[in-house]
Amino acid sequence: MGEIGRPTRWITVTSPFRRVLVANRGEIAVRIIRACHELGMEAVAIYSDADAATAHVRAADHAVRIGPPPAADSYLLIDAVVAAAVEVGAEAVHPGYGFLSERVAFAQAVEDAGIAWVGPPPAVIAALGDKLAARRIAREADVPHVPGTLEPAEVGEPEQVEAVLAAARDVGFPLLVKAAAGGGGRGMRRVLSVDELVGALLAGSREAASAFGDGAVYLEREILPARHVEVQLLGDTTGNVVAIGERDCSSQRRHQKLIEEAPAPGLGETERRRLHAMAVRMGSAAGLRNAATCEFLYDRDGAFWFLEVNTRLQVEHPVTELVAGLDIVAEQFHLAAGRRLSARALAAADRAARPTSHAIELRISAEDPARLFAPAPGRVTRWQMPSGPGIRVDTAVESGDRIPSEYDPLIAKLIAHAEDRPAAIARLRRAVAEAEVGGIQTTLPFHRAMLAEPGFVDASELATTWVEAHWDGPRARAAAVRAAALAAGLAALAGDRRDGGGTAPAAVGSAAPNGDGSAPAWRSGGRAVAVDRWPS
């Protein structure tokens, strides 16, 4: 890594900035550092003690230790990160996604230090980060939002309880209690009847206060079945906001995305134009600058319902980049430097409703899909990612790395790009077959199974609830069968011992996840290729 003050890059007059601090880690930090270098800018990494020797630190021109492994003591310390940016003379800070990327206080602290913030302005983050404020903006912009309340639902006084119960009846059941200050399922409760409402409001409010420092919650109709479709927006300082394409993120569980693709399958040009126009109206009404994503639910009747706006770079931005032919991160830097939307961005927006290719992203995480995606940190003993035509892998993992338990389990994004969706799926099947990971369990078996699932392949069963119904449900039932078998076996063993017998029950607790003694196809198929690829 180069010394600060001694340029290691060819800074040019077209470079948006001279030096950028990347306030993140892992694959997204590597992605941003690469963009910096391609634009002729120096990149400064920050790292915790757990990440001292990781790829994003080595890729940067300089790195600053930020604290011990826990995120609360390192990557989430606003003062420490801003101090690091000031210390190294950074002209801009890119927050990536997660961590501090949507914290108004962080964005404001960066700007107060005289450093450019690579993202929407603090005022926009504040306006759109509050889900209730965003819903009110949607109403004013004539963007249909999911039916529900536009003010916090409070039950501290008897008259407030009556008002909330009346509002709930208007919304209809089942409904969701949702946190106003955040997402990811934190503070969310599903309510089936009036009797459950007050308890759900109190529990959701407590969880929201713990997670986001704000206990405000509201009511929203549950729209099922539905698809999750989002629009990538870009905006400049002149007030010009454009949509450069949409993504389908319906393959998710517990509100965490697993597979994303662009464009959204099954939409025609007219539907796309209508969807993009709604997203642009939303961004324009909020005064959007830089990059953001407007999220919608798409119901079976063909209606789009506004959900929220994420005021940051999304994990799934690569699929839009590949289909749009645009480097979104590079565009972010130019916009943060006060420049107008580039000719390339405007051209991408012009053709966004008529996409001519397809891209699909698989999120590879250190999780065990056979155990309801339980975290599976550990040391990687083998790491071989696929390559070849149309394949992109965004990662910071190498063989020998330890996947820490302190951070998000996402370790790589495997993206295929092809002329159409069937070709992209075929390319992904080949790529997943080439991938080899040893030492830790990953979600690759799940992805392998999904790429053979008829309802996914023909896009006929895309829905936000599919994974939990068809993957989690059977495995939860299988776990119950195994638990019952184990309990019965232990009881039998205790009885044998009381009777003087010493024979242990055969294969107690070792039933395969199918629950019937058979090996699941996704696991046996993987092991036929490489024994250490997907360990138990």
Side-chain angles (χ1 to χ4, degrees):
M1 292 175 287
E3 287 182 41
I4 290 299
R6 298 179 60 187
T8 59
R9 300 285 156 193
W10 290 103
I11 309 298
T12 70
V13 294
T14 60
S15 298
F17 304 101
R18 179 172 178 268
R19 182 175 296 138
V20 175
L21 183 130
V22 181
N24 219 297
R25 66 178 298 278
E27 66 86 13
I28 191 57
V30 172
R31 165 72 184 93
I32 295 166
I33 290 167
R34 286 171 172 163
C36 288
H37 290 167
E38 290 180 10
L39 291 170
M41 303 185 299
E42 293 178 28
V44 179
I46 59 172
Y47 65 92
S48 72
D49 293 337
D51 288 336
T54 54
H56 85 276
V57 173
R58 297 196 308 275
D61 301 291
H62 187 76
V64 179
R65 178 187 177 274
I66 207 72
D73 299 325
S74 52
Y75 295 105
L76 292 174
L77 289 177
I78 292 176
D79 291 345
V81 177
V82 174
V86 172
E87 174 192 343
V88 302
E91 296 178 354
V93 169
H94 197 306
Y97 56 74
F99 289 140
L100 297 170
S101 61
E102 291 183 285
R103 296 281 186 91
V104 177
F106 182 48
Q108 191 62 61
V110 169
E111 293 194 348
D112 289 346
I115 301 171
W117 170 256
V118 186
V124 174
I125 298 175
L128 295 174
D130 183 326
K131 301 298 190 294
L132 286 170
R135 286 163 62 82
R136 291 192 290 269
I137 292 172
R139 180 184 59 182
E140 295 165 5
D142 194 27
V143 176
H145 58 77
V146 178
T149 57
L150 296 175
E151 300 295 337
E154 299 179 4
V155 291
E157 302 294 335
E159 61 272 18
Q160 292 176 326
V161 173
E162 289 304 318
V164 169
L165 293 177
R169 293 186 185 96
D170 288 341
V171 172
F173 294 93
L175 58 77
L176 299 173
V177 170
K178 299 182 72 173
R186 298 289 187 89
M188 184 181 294
R189 296 292 186 277
R190 186 169 188 255
V191 181
L192 299 178
S193 68
V194 170
D195 295 338
E196 301 175 4
L197 184 60
V198 174
L201 285 167
L202 294 174
S205 180
R206 284 194 297 268
E207 185 178 2
S210 174
F212 310 116
D214 184 345
V217 293
Y218 64 98
L219 308 181
E220 187 177 272
R221 180 182 298 168
E222 184 178 46
I223 296 179
L224 292 177
R227 287 167 56 181
H228 184 134
V229 180
E230 61 188 31
V231 180
Q232 178 67 60
L233 297 174
L234 295 173
D236 63 22
T237 56
T238 70
N240 190 15
V241 177
V242 298
I244 61 169
E246 85 287 341
R247 302 179 284 258
D248 188 294
C249 307
S250 301
S251 297
Q252 54 184 254
R253 67 180 298 276
R254 298 187 180 181
H255 311 287
Q256 299 299 313
K257 300 166 186 172
L258 300 169
I259 302 174
E260 304 103 341
E261 55 186 302
L267 298 189
E269 181 177 343
T270 300
E271 286 177 297
R272 286 197 173 93
R273 291 191 184 280
R274 175 164 57 94
L275 173 64
H276 296 177
M278 288 192 291
V280 168
R281 289 203 304 274
M282 189 70 199
S284 298
L288 175 67
R289 299 206 304 272
N290 213 274
T293 298
C294 194
E295 303 197 350
F296 295 84
L297 287 180
Y298 180 48
D299 69 23
R300 289 292 174 89
D301 295 325
F304 291 103
W305 301 95
F306 169 75
L307 267 181
E308 63 184 17
V309 177
N310 287 313
T311 51
R312 55 169 168 77
L313 187 69
Q314 293 278 86
V315 176
E316 56 272 20
H317 74 276
V319 293
T320 299
E321 289 188 321
L322 292 168
V323 172
L326 181 71
D327 185 329
I328 293 174
V329 178
E331 195 72 18
Q332 279 191 291
F333 280 121
H334 289 298
L335 293 169
R339 300 175 184 175
R340 294 189 175 192
L341 287 164
S342 69
R344 186 182 292 273
L346 295 174
D350 284 342
R351 59 177 180 267
R354 304 181 305 279
T356 57
S357 63
H358 202 93
I360 306 176
E361 174 181 292
L362 309 180
R363 293 194 189 189
I364 302 175
S365 296
E367 297 175 320
D368 188 347
R371 295 190 299 122
L372 303 182
F373 294 84
R379 190 165 299 280
V380 177
T381 59
R382 179 167 176 74
W383 183 261
Q384 182 66 49
M385 286 291 103
S387 57
I391 294 298
R392 168 176 166 177
V393 179
D394 284 15
T395 188
V397 173
E398 297 173 347
S399 183
D401 284 353
R402 185 183 73 86
I403 307 303
S405 60
E406 291 88 354
Y407 312 122
D408 189 278
L410 177 67
I411 55 177
K413 299 182 313 200
L414 172 56
I415 309 108
H417 183 219
E419 64 271 17
D420 55 29
R421 191 171 187 271
I425 290 175
R427 199 159 262 174
L428 272 177
R429 287 173 178 159
R430 183 266 295 175
V432 169
E434 289 179 6
E436 295 187 23
V437 181
I440 62 169
Q441 180 63 63
T442 74
T443 52
L444 277 169
F446 165 80
H447 293 307
R448 186 185 186 96
M450 283 297 286
L451 293 172
E453 181 63 42
F456 175 81
V457 172
D458 65 12
S460 63
E461 296 183 18
L462 291 179
T464 57
T465 53
W466 193 94
V467 172
E468 286 169 296
H470 295 270
W471 185 274
D472 285 4
R475 279 152 187 79
R477 289 191 292 274
V481 169
R482 292 197 301 275
L486 177 60
L490 291 174
L493 179 60
D496 285 345
R497 285 176 175 166
R498 285 193 301 271
D499 297 336
T503 304
V508 170
S510 63
N514 285 346
D516 59 3
S518 65
W522 60 266
R523 177 169 284 175
S524 60
R527 289 184 178 280
V529 181
V531 172
D532 69 339
R533 182 175 300 178
W534 297 310
S536 298

